Short mmCIF file of all heavy atoms in Angstrom, two decimals:
data_model
loop_
_atom_site.label_atom_id
_atom_site.label_comp_id
_atom_site.label_asym_id
_atom_site.label_seq_id
_atom_site.Cartn_x
_atom_site.Cartn_y
_atom_site.Cartn_z
N ILE A 142 -25.91 -7.19 100.73
CA ILE A 142 -25.81 -6.00 101.58
C ILE A 142 -26.40 -6.26 102.97
O ILE A 142 -25.78 -5.94 103.98
CB ILE A 142 -26.46 -4.79 100.90
CG1 ILE A 142 -25.65 -4.42 99.65
CG2 ILE A 142 -26.59 -3.60 101.85
CD1 ILE A 142 -26.37 -3.55 98.67
N GLY A 143 -27.59 -6.84 103.01
CA GLY A 143 -28.21 -7.15 104.30
C GLY A 143 -27.36 -8.11 105.12
O GLY A 143 -27.16 -7.91 106.32
N ALA A 144 -26.84 -9.13 104.47
CA ALA A 144 -25.99 -10.11 105.17
C ALA A 144 -24.73 -9.44 105.70
O ALA A 144 -24.29 -9.72 106.82
CB ALA A 144 -25.64 -11.26 104.23
N ALA A 145 -24.12 -8.55 104.90
CA ALA A 145 -22.92 -7.84 105.36
C ALA A 145 -23.22 -6.96 106.56
O ALA A 145 -22.44 -6.89 107.52
CB ALA A 145 -22.32 -7.01 104.22
N LEU A 146 -24.36 -6.29 106.53
CA LEU A 146 -24.75 -5.45 107.67
C LEU A 146 -25.02 -6.29 108.91
O LEU A 146 -24.63 -5.90 110.03
CB LEU A 146 -25.95 -4.58 107.31
CG LEU A 146 -25.64 -3.39 106.42
CD1 LEU A 146 -26.91 -2.82 105.79
CD2 LEU A 146 -24.90 -2.31 107.19
N LEU A 147 -25.63 -7.45 108.76
CA LEU A 147 -25.87 -8.31 109.92
C LEU A 147 -24.56 -8.87 110.47
O LEU A 147 -24.40 -8.98 111.69
CB LEU A 147 -26.83 -9.44 109.56
CG LEU A 147 -28.28 -9.01 109.35
CD1 LEU A 147 -29.11 -10.17 108.83
CD2 LEU A 147 -28.88 -8.42 110.63
N ALA A 148 -23.62 -9.21 109.60
CA ALA A 148 -22.30 -9.65 110.07
C ALA A 148 -21.61 -8.53 110.84
O ALA A 148 -20.96 -8.76 111.87
CB ALA A 148 -21.45 -10.12 108.88
N HIS A 149 -21.77 -7.30 110.34
CA HIS A 149 -21.19 -6.14 111.03
C HIS A 149 -21.85 -5.97 112.40
O HIS A 149 -21.18 -5.67 113.39
CB HIS A 149 -21.36 -4.89 110.18
CG HIS A 149 -20.68 -3.70 110.75
ND1 HIS A 149 -19.33 -3.48 110.64
CD2 HIS A 149 -21.17 -2.65 111.47
CE1 HIS A 149 -19.01 -2.36 111.26
NE2 HIS A 149 -20.11 -1.84 111.78
N ALA A 150 -23.17 -6.16 112.47
CA ALA A 150 -23.88 -6.04 113.75
C ALA A 150 -23.35 -7.07 114.75
O ALA A 150 -23.16 -6.76 115.93
CB ALA A 150 -25.38 -6.23 113.53
N ALA A 151 -23.10 -8.29 114.27
CA ALA A 151 -22.56 -9.32 115.16
C ALA A 151 -21.18 -8.92 115.66
O ALA A 151 -20.87 -9.08 116.85
CB ALA A 151 -22.51 -10.66 114.42
N GLU A 152 -20.35 -8.38 114.79
CA GLU A 152 -19.01 -7.95 115.19
C GLU A 152 -19.08 -6.78 116.18
O GLU A 152 -18.34 -6.76 117.17
CB GLU A 152 -18.17 -7.57 113.97
CG GLU A 152 -16.75 -7.20 114.30
CD GLU A 152 -15.99 -8.28 115.07
OE1 GLU A 152 -16.25 -9.49 114.87
OE2 GLU A 152 -15.14 -7.89 115.90
N GLU A 153 -19.95 -5.82 115.94
CA GLU A 153 -20.11 -4.70 116.87
C GLU A 153 -20.62 -5.19 118.23
O GLU A 153 -20.20 -4.68 119.28
CB GLU A 153 -21.08 -3.65 116.30
CG GLU A 153 -20.50 -2.85 115.15
CD GLU A 153 -19.30 -2.01 115.56
OE1 GLU A 153 -19.31 -1.42 116.64
OE2 GLU A 153 -18.33 -1.96 114.77
N THR A 154 -21.48 -6.18 118.22
CA THR A 154 -21.99 -6.76 119.47
C THR A 154 -20.85 -7.41 120.24
O THR A 154 -20.70 -7.20 121.44
CB THR A 154 -23.12 -7.77 119.15
OG1 THR A 154 -24.17 -7.08 118.46
CG2 THR A 154 -23.68 -8.40 120.41
N ARG A 155 -20.04 -8.19 119.53
CA ARG A 155 -18.85 -8.82 120.16
C ARG A 155 -17.91 -7.78 120.73
O ARG A 155 -17.43 -7.90 121.85
CB ARG A 155 -18.10 -9.65 119.11
CG ARG A 155 -18.32 -11.12 119.19
CD ARG A 155 -17.34 -11.90 118.32
NE ARG A 155 -17.51 -11.71 116.90
CZ ARG A 155 -18.46 -12.27 116.17
NH1 ARG A 155 -19.37 -13.03 116.73
NH2 ARG A 155 -18.53 -12.05 114.87
N ARG A 156 -17.63 -6.74 119.93
CA ARG A 156 -16.70 -5.68 120.38
C ARG A 156 -17.19 -5.01 121.66
O ARG A 156 -16.39 -4.54 122.46
CB ARG A 156 -16.55 -4.62 119.30
CG ARG A 156 -15.60 -5.00 118.23
CD ARG A 156 -15.32 -3.82 117.29
NE ARG A 156 -14.71 -4.32 116.10
CZ ARG A 156 -15.14 -4.12 114.87
NH1 ARG A 156 -16.20 -3.37 114.66
NH2 ARG A 156 -14.53 -4.64 113.85
N ALA A 157 -18.50 -4.93 121.81
CA ALA A 157 -19.09 -4.31 123.00
C ALA A 157 -19.07 -5.26 124.20
O ALA A 157 -19.48 -4.87 125.30
CB ALA A 157 -20.52 -3.86 122.71
N GLY A 158 -18.61 -6.49 123.99
CA GLY A 158 -18.58 -7.46 125.08
C GLY A 158 -19.94 -8.05 125.37
O GLY A 158 -20.17 -8.61 126.44
N VAL A 159 -20.86 -7.94 124.43
CA VAL A 159 -22.22 -8.45 124.58
C VAL A 159 -22.31 -9.74 123.78
O VAL A 159 -21.72 -9.87 122.71
CB VAL A 159 -23.24 -7.39 124.09
CG1 VAL A 159 -24.66 -7.92 124.14
CG2 VAL A 159 -23.10 -6.12 124.93
N LYS A 160 -23.07 -10.71 124.30
CA LYS A 160 -23.13 -12.02 123.65
C LYS A 160 -24.43 -12.29 122.91
O LYS A 160 -24.54 -13.29 122.20
CB LYS A 160 -22.91 -13.11 124.69
CG LYS A 160 -21.54 -13.02 125.29
CD LYS A 160 -21.28 -14.10 126.28
CE LYS A 160 -19.92 -13.81 126.83
NZ LYS A 160 -19.25 -14.70 127.53
N LEU A 161 -25.42 -11.40 123.05
CA LEU A 161 -26.72 -11.65 122.44
C LEU A 161 -27.08 -10.53 121.47
O LEU A 161 -27.07 -9.35 121.82
CB LEU A 161 -27.81 -11.74 123.52
CG LEU A 161 -29.24 -11.95 123.04
CD1 LEU A 161 -29.39 -13.28 122.30
CD2 LEU A 161 -30.20 -11.89 124.23
N LEU A 162 -27.39 -10.92 120.24
CA LEU A 162 -27.88 -10.01 119.21
C LEU A 162 -29.27 -10.49 118.83
O LEU A 162 -29.46 -11.67 118.52
CB LEU A 162 -26.95 -10.04 118.00
CG LEU A 162 -27.38 -9.22 116.78
CD1 LEU A 162 -27.44 -7.73 117.11
CD2 LEU A 162 -26.42 -9.47 115.61
N ARG A 163 -30.24 -9.59 118.89
CA ARG A 163 -31.62 -9.97 118.52
C ARG A 163 -32.17 -9.02 117.47
O ARG A 163 -31.68 -7.92 117.28
CB ARG A 163 -32.54 -9.96 119.74
CG ARG A 163 -32.22 -11.02 120.76
CD ARG A 163 -33.34 -11.30 121.73
NE ARG A 163 -33.84 -10.11 122.39
CZ ARG A 163 -35.04 -10.02 122.99
NH1 ARG A 163 -35.86 -11.05 123.01
NH2 ARG A 163 -35.42 -8.91 123.58
N VAL A 164 -33.23 -9.48 116.84
CA VAL A 164 -33.93 -8.72 115.81
C VAL A 164 -35.38 -9.19 115.82
O VAL A 164 -35.67 -10.32 116.23
CB VAL A 164 -33.29 -8.93 114.41
CG1 VAL A 164 -33.39 -10.37 113.95
CG2 VAL A 164 -33.88 -7.99 113.38
N ASP A 165 -36.28 -8.32 115.41
CA ASP A 165 -37.65 -8.78 115.15
C ASP A 165 -37.99 -8.42 113.72
O ASP A 165 -37.41 -7.51 113.14
CB ASP A 165 -38.66 -8.18 116.14
CG ASP A 165 -38.80 -6.69 116.03
OD1 ASP A 165 -39.52 -6.23 115.10
OD2 ASP A 165 -38.23 -5.96 116.87
N CYS A 166 -38.90 -9.20 113.16
CA CYS A 166 -39.28 -8.96 111.78
C CYS A 166 -40.71 -9.42 111.54
O CYS A 166 -41.31 -10.11 112.37
CB CYS A 166 -38.33 -9.67 110.82
SG CYS A 166 -38.46 -11.47 110.83
N TRP A 167 -41.21 -9.04 110.39
CA TRP A 167 -42.52 -9.46 109.93
C TRP A 167 -42.49 -10.97 109.69
O TRP A 167 -41.58 -11.47 109.02
CB TRP A 167 -42.87 -8.70 108.66
CG TRP A 167 -44.23 -8.96 108.11
CD1 TRP A 167 -45.42 -8.74 108.74
CD2 TRP A 167 -44.55 -9.43 106.81
NE1 TRP A 167 -46.45 -9.05 107.90
CE2 TRP A 167 -45.95 -9.48 106.71
CE3 TRP A 167 -43.78 -9.81 105.71
CZ2 TRP A 167 -46.61 -9.90 105.57
CZ3 TRP A 167 -44.44 -10.23 104.56
CH2 TRP A 167 -45.83 -10.27 104.50
N ALA A 168 -43.46 -11.68 110.23
CA ALA A 168 -43.50 -13.14 110.10
C ALA A 168 -44.54 -13.60 109.08
O ALA A 168 -44.78 -14.79 108.95
CB ALA A 168 -43.77 -13.78 111.46
N GLY A 169 -45.15 -12.67 108.36
CA GLY A 169 -46.14 -13.04 107.35
C GLY A 169 -45.49 -13.39 106.03
O GLY A 169 -44.28 -13.56 105.93
N GLY A 170 -46.32 -13.49 105.00
CA GLY A 170 -45.82 -13.71 103.65
C GLY A 170 -45.11 -15.03 103.45
O GLY A 170 -44.21 -15.13 102.63
#
Side-chain angles (χ1 to χ4, degrees):
I142 293 163
L146 284 164
L147 289 173
H149 186 79
E152 183 56 32
E153 288 297 319
T154 300
R155 258 191 293 284
R156 280 189 195 125
V159 176
K160 296 182 183 194
L161 178 63
L162 175 63
R163 293 198 307 160
V164 63
D165 65 79
C166 69
W167 184 59

